[in-house]
Amino acid sequence: MTEIILMSDPRVARVGVEECGDRLVSVHRTAPLLVDERKQQDSGGAFAYVRQGVLDRLLEAQALLPDGLRLLYVEGYRPPSLQRHYFDEYAARLRGDHPDWPADRIRSAASRHVSPPEIAPHSAGAAVDVTLADAEGRELDLGTRMNATPEESAGACYTGAENVGEAARSHRHILGGALTRAGLVNYPTEWWHWSYGDRYWALMTGVASALYGPVELD
């Protein structure tokens, strides 16, 4: 079984960042992507922004999909303060469920679902949460709801999980094939999370440094 490297792994934090300067761009204004609005309230509209290099690769992935299928974009950029809120909230839930766990185990377990704020790909504008839809925009079955935790899904949120149906497994294969060919990498505990240019991407692809670090939306 291939090792799963979590975001909390020190190897991720050790990757340096050489910021390339790509700006954050809105997928609403600059791309013919199908965009879901479920994260609008949480982020005040920031969810619709990604780095230009990420957007370019999403469009490439869209073009690689079979006829009748579309990418459904759900979230990209996440302000650092919101990332901290999500991480702290999930870590607190884990502490409540497992009061005997030490702090390092809580941090590691939390990072299966929410990246530690200091290295978060979403806060660099480098990560996207995406799924598949049909030609009419109806979301397809990929085995779990997007953002399902490992606890609630019995691990079915993991990209390679075996406890999902045949249709969901096929859809994950199609989604992953297109995004991988376009140059993004998956975080294997979340079938929906893909990134380009961040520290995790650099580590997984063997690139010396990340292209994107944390950024604030103007």
Side-chain angles (χ1 to χ4, degrees), residues 7-96:
M7 289 286 183
S8 59
D9 193 298
R11 287 174 287 182
V12 180
R14 282 199 295 266
V15 175
V17 177
E18 292 188 11
E19 178 64 54
C20 74
D22 270 5
R23 61 193 181 99
L24 288 167
V25 293
S26 172
V27 298
H28 282 310
R29 294 199 299 263
T30 60
L33 289 175
L34 186 60
V35 180
D36 188 287
E37 300 289 334
R38 72 187 74 171
K39 287 291 185 176
Q40 168 71 33
Q41 185 172 355
D42 279 8
S43 70
F47 80 99
Y49 286 80
V50 291
R51 299 285 190 136
Q52 183 67 59
V54 176
L55 176 56
D56 292 344
R57 285 157 180 80
L58 286 178
L59 295 176
E60 182 180 345
Q62 174 68 65
L64 292 168
L65 290 175
D67 290 343
L69 294 182
R70 300 179 67 185
L71 290 180
L72 178 59
Y73 173 104
V74 175
E75 186 177 18
Y77 177 70
R78 189 181 294 161
S81 59
L82 182 58
Q83 182 71 29
R84 168 63 67 182
H85 170 73
Y86 284 162
F87 185 82
D88 289 349
E89 183 178 58
Y90 185 49
R93 192 187 321 167
L94 290 172
R95 277 193 297 272

Side-chain angles (χ1 to χ4, degrees), residues 1-203:
M1 180 176 176
T2 304
E3 176 193 12
I4 291 179
I5 298 177
L6 296 175
M7 289 286 183
S8 59
D9 193 298
R11 287 174 287 182
V12 180
R14 282 199 295 266
V15 175
V17 177
E18 292 188 11
E19 178 64 54
C20 74
D22 270 5
R23 61 193 181 99
L24 288 167
V25 293
S26 172
V27 298
H28 282 310
R29 294 199 299 263
T30 60
L33 289 175
L34 186 60
V35 180
D36 188 287
E37 300 289 334
R38 72 187 74 171
K39 287 291 185 176
Q40 168 71 33
Q41 185 172 355
D42 279 8
S43 70
F47 80 99
Y49 286 80
V50 291
R51 299 285 190 136
Q52 183 67 59
V54 176
L55 176 56
D56 292 344
R57 285 157 180 80
L58 286 178
L59 295 176
E60 182 180 345
Q62 174 68 65
L64 292 168
L65 290 175
D67 290 343
L69 294 182
R70 300 179 67 185
L71 290 180
L72 178 59
Y73 173 104
V74 175
E75 186 177 18
Y77 177 70
R78 189 181 294 161
S81 59
L82 182 58
Q83 182 71 29
R84 168 63 67 182
H85 170 73
Y86 284 162
F87 185 82
D88 289 349
E89 183 178 58
Y90 185 49
R93 192 187 321 167
L94 290 172
R95 277 193 297 272
D97 292 340
H98 306 282
D100 57 321
W101 283 7
D104 60 343
R105 185 171 180 182
I106 293 292
R107 176 181 166 83
S108 177
S111 75
R112 297 170 304 160
H113 182 60
V114 186
S115 176
E118 63 273 13
I119 52 92
H122 279 290
S123 295
V128 289
D129 294 340
V130 291
T131 186
L132 287 176
D134 64 17
E136 284 72 48
R138 293 178 297 230
E139 191 170 344
L140 300 183
D141 173 24
L142 275 87
T144 73
R145 70 174 184 88
M146 184 175 287
N147 292 320
T149 67
E151 293 79 21
E152 74 176 80
S153 68
C157 60
Y158 281 50
T159 307
E162 297 182 357
N163 57 333
V164 298
E166 184 176 345
R169 193 174 297 113
S170 175
H171 292 152
R172 290 186 186 189
H173 179 73
I174 293 169
L175 178 68
L179 290 165
T180 299
R181 287 175 63 192
L184 290 92
V185 300
N186 174 241
Y187 190 44
T189 63
E190 299 178 330
W191 58 261
W192 56 86
H193 178 107
W194 293 79
S195 68
Y196 167 80
D198 60 297
R199 286 167 160 160
Y200 196 83
W201 165 86
L203 182 65

